[in-house]
């Protein structure tokens, strides 16, 4: 079954940068919005950033000015450039995509750990 696959997670020091990417493992038709969510230990899942097919973006308050979401529609790929990372950014980051036919896809998650 088609799933989204995240990559690019890892361990970085505070103040460092990381770039995440997400693409489907197979063909997904009519992708509309895409986004990134994260869940830290003991916390609820939260929106990190979202982007429409037309390129409109939205960011969670805690990452504004530090993270940038982008996408390549030809590749059905979404990216998350993470700069000025903080220990509180440590979480599992999940990719999300939905389609105009109301199907929703999620990735399995990629771990981002920021050391102080």
């Amino acid at each position: 079954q088609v799933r989204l696959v995240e990559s690019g997670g890892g361990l970085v020091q505070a103040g460092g940068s990381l770039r995440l990417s997400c693409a489907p493992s197979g063909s997904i038709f009519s992708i509309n919005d895409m986004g990134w969510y994260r869940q830290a230990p003991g916390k609820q899942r939260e929106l990190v950033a979202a982007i429409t097919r037309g390129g409109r973006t939205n960011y969670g308050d805690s990452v504004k000015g530090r993270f940038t979401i982008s996408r390549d529609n030809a590749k059905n790929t979404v990216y998350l450039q993470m700069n000025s990372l903080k220990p509180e950014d440590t979480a599992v980051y999940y990719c999300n995509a939905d389609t105009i036919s109301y199907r929703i896809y999620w990735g399995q998650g990629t771990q981002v750990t920021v050391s102080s």
Side-chain angles (χ1 to χ4, degrees):
Q1 189 172 3
V2 175
R3 293 287 186 270
L4 299 178
V5 180
E6 303 97 339
S7 63
L11 174 64
V12 298
Q13 295 186 73
S17 297
L18 206 60
R19 183 176 173 86
L20 307 182
S21 63
C22 169
S25 62
S27 180
I28 298 179
F29 300 105
S30 302
I31 290 180
N32 190 20
D33 299 339
M34 303 186 80
W36 292 92
Y37 294 77
R38 68 185 182 187
Q39 187 165 24
K43 295 186 176 181
Q44 299 296 312
R45 186 183 67 178
E46 65 174 335
L47 172 70
V48 177
I51 185 168
T52 68
R53 184 171 181 82
R56 299 193 305 274
T57 59
N58 185 45
Y59 296 92
D61 289 340
S62 64
V63 307
K64 288 180 179 177
R66 299 188 297 120
F67 292 8
T68 302
I69 188 171
S70 61
R71 64 188 292 172
D72 183 337
N73 291 339
K75 299 179 180 179
N76 278 336
T77 301
V78 63
Y79 306 93
L80 185 68
Q81 179 66 47
M82 308 164 67
N83 298 326
S84 301
L85 284 162
K86 304 175 181 180
E88 50 263 46
D89 294 319
T90 296
V92 177
Y93 284 69
Y94 298 92
C95 178
N96 166 267
D98 57 56
T99 73
I100 61 172
S101 61
Y102 310 111
R103 295 179 182 177
I104 300 174
Y105 296 86
W106 286 93
Q108 194 165 233
T110 185
Q111 177 70 48
V112 172
T113 302
V114 184
S115 62
S116 59

